[in-house]
């Protein structure tokens, strides 16, 4: 039976294609094609070193944030539930029990900045009791514990809670924030200025 004669594989690839195109190169003849121009393909990814993948870049540095009470980040601050005075103060112990019983877990003692002029030369410490981000009372003293003692006594005067009404107020207990360089006065009330000195003898009267 007559039919078309099959060509061998090499003869089929060497034969010219339709349209007069040049014959295909035999398998493995990569040198018949020119290499791709530089930059035609993206460079391969860098291989990992023997120590493992490259290190993760450090996160951005976080800026210090003020606490819930708006105090400076570097303010001297102590949680009431963790504060331990150097000596025994009944007011400090009572205030710790009071805040614990009422679940005031964020209650703290915060020192007013010394540069603000709130203290005096003999009583440089001024502390505030802060609950829920709000200042409640203030106290001033020669030491940190003495100032916190005054602040606690002023706080008990404000809350007027049963069983905590026997704490006495003095000129270093404040129920309002003391302004800078404020003269000593009961409960944060500034004392009136002293009267002017009398005129010298022999001076004409006004």
């Amino acid at each position: 039976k007559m039919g078309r004669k099959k060509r061998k594989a090499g003869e089929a690839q060497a034969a010219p294609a339709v349209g007069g195109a040049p014959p295909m190169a035999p398998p493995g003849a990569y040198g018949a094609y020119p290499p791709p121009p530089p930059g035609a393909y993206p460079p391969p990814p860098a291989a990992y070193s023997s120590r493992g993948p490259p290190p993760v870049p450090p996160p951005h540095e976080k800026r210090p944030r003020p606490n819930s009470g708006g105090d400076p980040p570097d303010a001297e601050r102590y949680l009431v539930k963790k504060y331990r005075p150097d000596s025994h103060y009944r007011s400090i112990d009572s205030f710790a029990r009071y805040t614990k019983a009422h679940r005031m877990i964020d209650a703290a003692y915060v020192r007013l900045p010394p540069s603000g002029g709130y203290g005096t030369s003999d009583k440089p410490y001024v502390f505030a009791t802060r609950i829920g981000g709000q200042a409640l009372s203030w106290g001033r003293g020669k030491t940190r514990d003495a100032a916190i003692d005054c602040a606690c006594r002023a706080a008990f005067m404000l809350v007027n809670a049963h069983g905590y009404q026997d704490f006495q107020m003095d000129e270093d207990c404040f129920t309002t924030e003391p302004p800078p360089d404020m003269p000593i006065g009961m409960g944060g009330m500034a004392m009136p200025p002293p009267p002017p000195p009398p005129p010298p003898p022999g001076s004409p009267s006004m």
Side-chain angles (χ1 to χ4, degrees):
K1 183 178 180 180
M2 299 296 293
R4 299 184 60 182
K5 184 179 180 182
K6 295 183 179 180
R7 297 180 180 179
K8 297 181 181 180
E11 296 178 354
Q13 292 181 359
V18 179
M24 297 178 60
Y30 180 77
Y33 296 95
Y41 301 101
Y48 292 153
S49 64
S50 58
R51 297 182 180 180
V56 179
H60 296 289
E61 182 180 359
K62 295 182 179 180
R63 300 180 59 183
R65 298 180 180 179
N67 50 44
S68 58
D71 302 309
D74 56 346
E76 190 174 347
R77 180 185 180 92
Y78 306 95
L79 287 176
V80 172
K81 62 183 180 181
K82 295 184 178 181
Y83 185 75
R84 299 295 182 268
D86 295 334
S87 57
H88 175 72
Y89 285 88
R90 190 171 65 90
S91 60
I92 298 178
D93 293 344
S94 299
F95 193 72
R97 292 195 303 268
Y98 178 83
T99 54
K100 181 180 179 180
H102 291 79
R103 300 182 181 276
M104 302 175 182
I105 58 176
D106 64 337
Y109 304 122
V110 182
R111 185 181 182 183
L112 274 65
S115 59
Y118 296 98
T120 60
S121 57
D122 58 334
K123 297 179 180 179
Y125 291 89
V126 180
F127 272 83
T129 58
R130 190 177 293 280
I131 300 174
Q134 299 294 329
L136 178 64
S137 60
W138 295 260
R140 180 172 52 196
K142 293 182 179 180
T143 63
R144 179 184 63 196
D145 291 343
I148 293 177
D149 164 59
C150 293
C152 291
R153 287 187 279 138
F156 282 131
M157 197 281 295
L158 287 175
V159 299
N160 195 24
H162 178 70
Y164 301 95
Q165 300 172 345
D166 58 338
F167 292 99
Q168 301 296 323
M169 294 273 291
D170 58 25
E171 67 273 5
D172 294 319
C173 303
F174 304 96
T175 56
T176 57
E177 182 177 356
D181 300 324
M182 186 190 69
I184 297 177
M186 182 66 177
M189 299 297 295
M191 299 185 68
S203 62
S205 58
M206 298 298 293

